[in-house]
Amino acid sequence: MICTSNDRGHRTVAAEALTLAQLAQFDDIIDVRSPSEFREDHIPGAVNFPVLNDEERARVGTIYKQTSAFDAKKIGAALVARNIADHVEQHFSDKPKNWRPLVYCWRGGSRSGAMTHILNQIGWRAQQLKGGYKAYRTMVLATLQTLPGRFRYRVICGPTGSGKSRLLTALDELGAQVLDLEGLAAHRGSILGSLPDADQPPQKLFESRLWEALQKFDPDHPVYVEAESKKIGNIRAPDALLEEMWQHGQCVRVEMAQEQRIALLKEEYVHFLENPEALCHKLDHLTGIHGKGLIQKWQALSAGRAWDELVGELLAKHYDPAYNKSTAKHYTQFSEALILHPADISMESFREAAKKAMLE
């Protein structure tokens, strides 16, 4: 690990050298930025103990711009001191003497410097992240341009409702290396793919999660990933990863009968079956593609809960044509794909299919 001492005597860690193994050497990773900064993105595993909350940060910033840096620093120092004292009393008081936290803020400046200084003065072994979150973010972006190229990908292909996500789950249960992009993005990847109980993460947080996931893989074994286009909901997958998947990925194709696909989709999208109005609202977004008349027909099927007919039409007229076009355009090895035929939509059938995929 690359460590240095800054001009205040604090031990620092260079963000350019961070790996998950190096992060694991610390007992805790403390993000002292404001809660809104933390929500946008943070180092994997970090906990948020802000030295200035969002309101306090805005107040100090306003004084800095409208009055003077000196006045802003006086007010900011008092706020930071009180907040650090609260954190020490409420969250750190039970830490042992050999506790070793890594502390960071936006640029590795005064916010993390104040926390690191006080923790070290108490007797703990705190270290400050050199360059802070900004340096970490630069490192993540650079790494995501090269790290995807270290692995061999087996890309799970198949039309909507063929059980690609279930196959990934089964592969994961059997110990295969699985990159769940839709899980990281909290989205199923289509116009109807938003999750009922989770919002999508910000783009930066998705990239941090992807960086973390890729670092856990062994290049000597394949990585299984579901076929994706450039965007997963509002999230954009990195170009370097997509290029590896599209140009070099070994395709594994899942095929199921139409009635099985319909049954599986009704299970996975049960929230729409329980709330037809929400589905009708989503279908409005397809008007530009299919025209008002067809959308109104689909909305009437939804309102009448004619689910098998509706799902069948959506597959035939929207999802399957889009899938065929995208697959032919992106996946160069699709014609050579291993084809899997799960017996039914049960997880046991997908486990058997996963075993076959892992043997090839």
Side-chain angles (χ1 to χ4, degrees):
M1 179 177 294
I2 300 174
C3 296
T4 60
S5 294
N6 62 21
D7 56 4
R8 295 183 179 87
H10 300 152
R11 296 283 287 173
T12 62
V13 178
E16 297 85 1
L18 282 182
T19 65
L20 292 181
Q22 290 168 334
L23 290 174
Q25 296 178 26
F26 293 94
D27 298 312
D28 287 293
I29 304 170
I30 298 176
D31 185 326
V32 301
R33 298 175 303 154
S34 67
S36 63
E37 292 174 288
F38 182 82
R39 285 192 297 270
E40 183 179 25
D41 186 27
H42 51 266
I43 295 175
V47 288
N48 189 210
F49 292 112
V51 298
L52 291 173
N53 62 32
D54 291 309
E55 294 76 14
E56 292 166 342
R57 182 166 173 256
R59 176 188 171 196
V60 172
T62 299
I63 295 171
Y64 186 94
K65 292 179 180 179
Q66 297 182 357
T67 307
S68 71
F70 180 68
D71 287 339
K73 288 179 181 179
K74 284 191 297 182
I75 293 172
L79 293 169
V80 167
R82 292 191 191 102
N83 288 330
I84 293 177
D86 289 341
H87 295 321
V88 170
E89 290 179 348
Q90 298 173 20
H91 305 288
F92 307 151
S93 60
D94 62 343
K95 301 297 184 182
K97 187 175 181 180
N98 63 351
W99 182 48
R100 189 186 179 204
L102 176 66
V103 184
Y104 72 95
C105 60
W106 172 246
R107 292 186 180 180
S110 57
R111 286 188 288 175
S112 58
M115 175 73 87
T116 304
H117 175 72
I118 290 176
L119 295 182
N120 282 330
Q121 289 298 306
I122 292 171
W124 287 309
R125 301 164 58 202
Q127 292 186 261
Q128 185 181 21
L129 181 64
K130 183 179 180 181
Y133 168 79
K134 186 177 181 181
Y136 159 78
R137 172 67 180 164
T138 299
M139 181 273 299
V140 167
L141 289 177
T143 303
L144 288 179
Q145 293 180 22
T146 58
L147 186 56
R150 295 182 59 197
F151 308 107
R152 295 177 292 115
Y153 297 93
R154 291 186 177 171
V155 183
I156 309 302
C157 302
T160 298
S162 60
K164 298 184 293 294
S165 296
R166 293 195 181 189
L167 181 61
L168 280 185
T169 299
L171 286 162
D172 186 58
E173 290 176 354
L174 293 173
Q177 296 188 138
V178 170
L179 179 59
D180 184 2
L181 291 174
E182 293 186 356
L184 296 177
H187 199 279
R188 291 193 175 107
S190 70
I191 194 69
L192 304 179
S194 57
L195 303 183
D197 54 355
D199 294 328
Q200 286 201 267
Q203 179 72 31
K204 291 179 180 179
L205 183 55
F206 166 80
E207 288 164 353
S208 280
R209 292 174 176 176
L210 178 60
W211 173 81
E212 179 185 20
L214 288 172
Q215 286 209 49
K216 295 178 180 179
F217 295 143
D218 181 350
D220 292 334
H221 299 282
V223 174
Y224 291 87
V225 61
E226 184 173 338
E228 299 291 351
S229 298
K230 289 185 177 181
K231 296 195 72 176
I232 309 170
N234 294 322
I235 296 295
R236 195 185 192 290
D239 289 340
L241 175 61
L242 290 174
E243 182 178 355
E244 292 296 327
M245 292 168 56
W246 292 352
Q247 301 299 319
H248 308 296
Q250 177 186 357
C251 293
V252 177
R253 182 176 176 179
V254 188
E255 293 187 351
M256 299 194 78
Q258 179 84 342
E259 60 271 18
Q260 292 177 319
R261 294 170 63 197
I262 292 173
L264 185 147
L265 287 169
K266 288 195 297 183
E267 282 190 9
E268 294 191 342
Y269 290 84
V270 67
H271 53 286
F272 283 135
L273 275 62
E274 296 171 347
N275 187 359
E277 289 184 3
L279 176 56
C280 288
H281 177 71
K282 288 284 188 180
L283 290 172
D284 277 331
H285 297 296
L286 298 177
T287 302
I289 301 174
H290 298 290
K292 190 173 181 179
L294 184 56
I295 297 304
Q296 288 179 337
K297 176 187 176 182
W298 288 347
Q299 290 172 331
L301 291 174
S302 175
R305 299 180 180 271
W307 300 123
D308 286 8
E309 183 179 355
L310 173 60
V311 175
E313 287 216 11
L314 283 170
L315 291 177
K317 297 181 180 180
H318 179 71
Y319 284 105
D320 287 356
Y323 162 77
N324 292 333
K325 181 179 179 180
S326 177
T327 302
K329 176 181 178 181
H330 294 311
Y331 291 95
T332 60
Q333 299 188 38
F334 182 73
S335 62
E336 304 170 8
L338 167 69
I339 300 178
L340 301 176
H341 295 277
D344 52 49
I345 65 173
S346 69
M347 279 306 302
E348 184 56 38
S349 291
F350 279 95
R351 290 189 193 97
E352 292 302 315
K355 291 176 183 177
K356 181 179 179 180
M358 293 175 68
L359 290 174
E360 293 293 327

